Amino acid sequence: MSGNARARLLDELFSVSRRYMASYALFNQAVADCLGLHPTDLQCLNLLTLEAGPVTTGRIAELTGLTTGSATRLVDRLERAGYVVRERDAEDRRRVLVATVPEKITEFARMWNRLGGGWFTLFDELGDAELAVIVGHMRRTVEFSGRQIARLRAGDV
């Protein structure tokens, strides 16, 4: 690919990436509004459903990039909304874990399934190699975003 063609393609990627991120942020806001949650709380709930089990508030801070104080307030909001409960760790009673409420997570999952039902069809025409490229891109983007969040929180802008 020539330098000019690649430059045009990278410009288009930059533009479409910005639109993609904005559309997802707006979608996230709409879902959060529908559920009566803050958008950050919605994404925390999403991340909690990917964890193997109950987690500490410190782990929530790690997952979200929030301070532990902000993570505690986030858990307070999710608890008031009925999505999580705090429970003592059976192995270390001094430790408090945050666990999702199965019935509320089932409701949450039903909503995602209704909204995202056509999502997999977006990939029907792609081969395995193309899907692998997308998966690799998303993994690198998650890692890159994590590093950028850390920079922003450290004031390194």
Side-chain angles (χ1 to χ4, degrees), residues 83-101:
Y83 285 96
V84 300
V85 293
R86 286 178 168 100
E87 52 189 38
R88 293 270 174 212
D89 186 340
E91 295 175 18
D92 181 352
R93 301 290 297 158
R94 295 168 296 174
R95 217 166 78 137
V96 175
L97 298 174
V98 178
T100 56
V101 175

Side-chain angles (χ1 to χ4, degrees), residues 6-157:
R6 183 171 176 83
R8 281 193 304 276
L9 197 54
L10 286 171
D11 283 345
E12 183 179 359
L13 178 61
F14 179 72
S15 176
V16 76
S17 291
R18 289 177 59 200
R19 288 183 190 281
Y20 174 82
M21 287 184 284
S23 71
Y24 189 80
L26 294 170
F27 170 74
N28 185 63
Q29 179 70 58
V31 173
D33 289 346
C34 186
L35 294 174
L37 296 173
H38 184 278
T40 303
D41 299 0
L42 174 67
Q43 286 310 310
C44 176
L45 192 58
N46 177 39
L47 292 170
L48 287 174
T49 64
L50 297 172
E51 291 292 297
V55 298
T56 63
T57 302
R59 175 67 178 146
I60 290 172
E62 289 172 18
L63 289 169
T64 60
L66 296 171
T67 64
T68 53
S70 293
T72 296
R73 289 187 294 280
L74 184 153
V75 171
D76 291 342
R77 291 190 303 269
L78 286 175
E79 190 173 39
R80 277 193 305 275
Y83 285 96
V84 300
V85 293
R86 286 178 168 100
E87 52 189 38
R88 293 270 174 212
D89 186 340
E91 295 175 18
D92 181 352
R93 301 290 297 158
R94 295 168 296 174
R95 217 166 78 137
V96 175
L97 298 174
V98 178
T100 56
V101 175
E103 301 80 20
K104 291 294 273 189
I105 297 306
T106 299
E107 289 175 26
F108 176 70
R110 268 196 295 262
M111 176 177 229
W112 276 119
N113 290 338
R114 283 193 308 272
L115 291 170
W119 190 76
F120 285 105
T121 63
L122 296 173
F123 306 103
D124 284 349
E125 297 176 12
L126 302 179
D128 292 349
E130 292 168 302
L131 285 175
V133 168
I134 292 170
V135 168
H137 166 72
M138 288 185 156
R139 283 188 178 134
R140 287 188 307 278
T141 299
V142 167
E143 292 166 6
F144 178 77
S145 294
R147 289 191 305 272
Q148 298 307 80
I149 290 167
R151 282 185 62 199
L152 287 165
R153 299 225 189 275
D156 181 24
V157 182

